[in-house]
């Protein structure tokens, strides 16, 4: 069976790895003219690292990223609100949480594909289902044919648009600035991650190894144009007066390395495919970053898709089984991310005070369950 994968991000590359491991003939089509190196960092939860290890991609063994050994929530001025039991959660689930530069993860995934072709500058613009397969049209007028097409081309997926129409994304009223930088600070230990919560804005500071950090900052912004502005002075102004390590991390970052990403997702899509065509990751179920499960759920999709395609001779039936298998879990993650995002970005003084009290005094059992639940995932038998 020949499979075309549209998109060479985390979802597309992992899908190709999973399919190749099952013996499929795979080609990846990527719109960008060259391999991606930008994009800040990622927190890969235990479910994601579990699946990657099963696919032969062991970040710890290959020295990519940093295992997260401590995770705390702090006030804007750096006072500790809560230590989260990330170590015991990883131990229970049998797989680590790993924080990694996105470009390093993509490079590792490309290396793991070995001789699988990844065609850059090959933007998918259309596809047509034909007898026994699908024909894909590229922006340069070229075509490719295959038995199956997998849309892994992100939140603005061309494959999705062809399936269900070109629908607008949904914005949630805040910007997320993201960057990586060479930076160390005594308050951020090796393997440490810290989130700082304020009123209508937050900041994350995460060790990704090699003397580098991944950081992100959010802020409620009414103007859609403002949600796409990444000027360093604006970021510094937003976090003026915050903890020393927050201000120093921003100061240590070259302006060109700071990206502005509006907080976006989509209404959950009930139908992910038709015939020999399906979707994975952000093309199917884009979600806000609050649960750190965007990449993790995408990696799960890739493994499940390969599992179902290998189990049945009828490709269309296998794809519908895959979609049914994944729909409830991903719907729950999208909804939970949206709920948590609303709590994180609160601006009402009374509501934020109550939120912070809950963070400080909630029973540890409840805190632990809230954090471990999204990471529970069993590999298909």
């Amino acid at each position: 069976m020949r499979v075309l994968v549209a998109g060479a991000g985390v979802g597309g590359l992992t899908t190709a790895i999973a399919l190749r491991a099952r013996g499929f003939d795979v080609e990846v089509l990527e719109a960008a003219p060259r391999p991606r190196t930008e994009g800040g960092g990622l927190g890969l939860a235990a479910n994601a690292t579990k699946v990657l290890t099963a696919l032969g991609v062991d970040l710890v063994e290959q020295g990519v990223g940093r295992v997260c050994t401590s995770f705390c929530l702090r006030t804007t001025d750096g006072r500790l609100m809560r230590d989260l039991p990330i170590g015991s959660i990883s131990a229970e689930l049998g797989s680590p949480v790993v924080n990694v530069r996105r470009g390093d993860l993509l490079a590792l995934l490309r290396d793991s594909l070995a001789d699988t072709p990844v065609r850059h500058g090959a933007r998918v613009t259309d596809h047509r289902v034909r007898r026994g397969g699908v024909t894909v049209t590229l922006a340069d007028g070229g075509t490719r044919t295959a038995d199956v097409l997998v849309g892994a081309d992100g939140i603005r997926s061309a494959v999705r648009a062809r399936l269900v129409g070109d629908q607008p994304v949904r914005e949630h009223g805040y910007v997320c600035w993201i960057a990586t930088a060479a930076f160390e600070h005594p308050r951020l230990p090796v393997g440490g991650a810290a989130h700082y919560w304020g009123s209508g804005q937050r900041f994350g500071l995460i060790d990704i190894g090699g003397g580098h950090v991944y950081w992100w900052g959010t802020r409620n912004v009414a103007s859609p144009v403002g949600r796409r502005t990444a000027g360093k002075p604006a970021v510094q102004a937003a976090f003026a007066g915050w903890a020393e390590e927050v201000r120093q991390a921003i100061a240590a970052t070259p302006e060109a390395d700071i990206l502005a990403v509006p907080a976006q997702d989509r209404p959950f899509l009930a139908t992910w495919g038709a015939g020999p065509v399906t979707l994975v990751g952000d093309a199917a179920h884009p979600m806000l970053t609050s649960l750190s499960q965007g990449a993790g759920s995408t990696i799960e999709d890739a493994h499940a898709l390969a599992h179902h395609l290998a189990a049945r001779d009828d490709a269309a039936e296998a794809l519908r089984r895959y979609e049914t298998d994944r729909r409830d879990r991903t719907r729950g993650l999208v909804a939970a991310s949206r709920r948590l995002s609303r709590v994180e970005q609160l601006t009402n003084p009374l509501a934020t005070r109550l939120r912070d009290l809950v963070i400080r005094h909630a029973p540890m059992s409840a805190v632990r369950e809230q954090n471990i639940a999204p990471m529970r995932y069993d590999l298909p038998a």
Side-chain angles (χ1 to χ4, degrees), residues 31 35 48 53 55 67 88 125 163 165 198 202 218 222 224 236 245 253 256 284 299 312-313 318 329 345 353-355:
T53 300
L55 293 174
V67 172
S88 68
T125 58
L163 287 168
R202 294 170 294 121
T218 68
Q236 290 178 306
E245 60 271 24
T253 307
I299 290 166
R312 292 169 181 81
D313 293 331
R329 173 158 168 80
Q345 296 297 129
R353 193 175 302 119
L354 179 60
R355 176 198 68 189

Side-chain angles (χ1 to χ4, degrees), residues 198-200 345-357:
S199 175
Q345 296 297 129
L346 286 171
T347 56
N348 179 279
L350 183 59
T352 55
R353 193 175 302 119
L354 179 60
R355 176 198 68 189
D356 294 352
L357 282 171

Side-chain angles (χ1 to χ4, degrees), residues 154-157 160 168-170 172 264-269 272 279-289 293-294 297-298 301 330-331 333-335 337-338:
I155 191 170
R156 289 176 175 78
S157 165
R160 175 189 173 117
V169 299
R170 178 164 52 188
H172 290 266
Q264 297 174 331
D265 66 4
R266 289 183 181 273
F268 193 79
L269 189 64
W272 295 5
L279 305 171
V280 300
D282 283 352
H285 49 78
M287 65 186 70
L288 297 174
T289 59
Q293 282 295 336
S297 60
T298 299
D301 286 351
T330 53
R331 182 189 286 112
L333 291 173
V334 169
S337 295
R338 200 174 297 144

Side-chain angles (χ1 to χ4, degrees), residues 27 42 56 59 92 100 131 163 165 187 200 206 212 237 266 297 299 325 334 355 360 379:
E27 182 179 14
L42 288 172
L59 279 75
E92 178 178 334
V100 60
R131 184 179 180 86
L163 287 168
R187 191 174 274 175
I206 301 103
H212 285 73
R266 289 183 181 273
S297 60
I299 290 166
D325 180 22
V334 169
R355 176 198 68 189
R360 288 185 172 96
L379 295 173

Side-chain angles (χ1 to χ4, degrees), residues 209-271:
H212 285 73
V213 297
Y214 161 48
W215 65 256
W216 53 261
T218 68
R219 191 180 194 188
N220 292 352
V221 178
S223 163
V225 174
R227 296 178 210 140
R228 290 159 175 80
T229 301
K232 183 172 176 177
V235 182
Q236 290 178 306
F239 295 99
W242 283 49
E244 174 188 87
E245 60 271 24
V246 170
R247 291 180 282 114
Q248 289 182 358
I250 299 169
T253 307
E255 182 166 11
D257 293 345
I258 303 175
L259 303 178
V261 182
Q264 297 174 331
D265 66 4
R266 289 183 181 273
F268 193 79
L269 189 64
T271 301

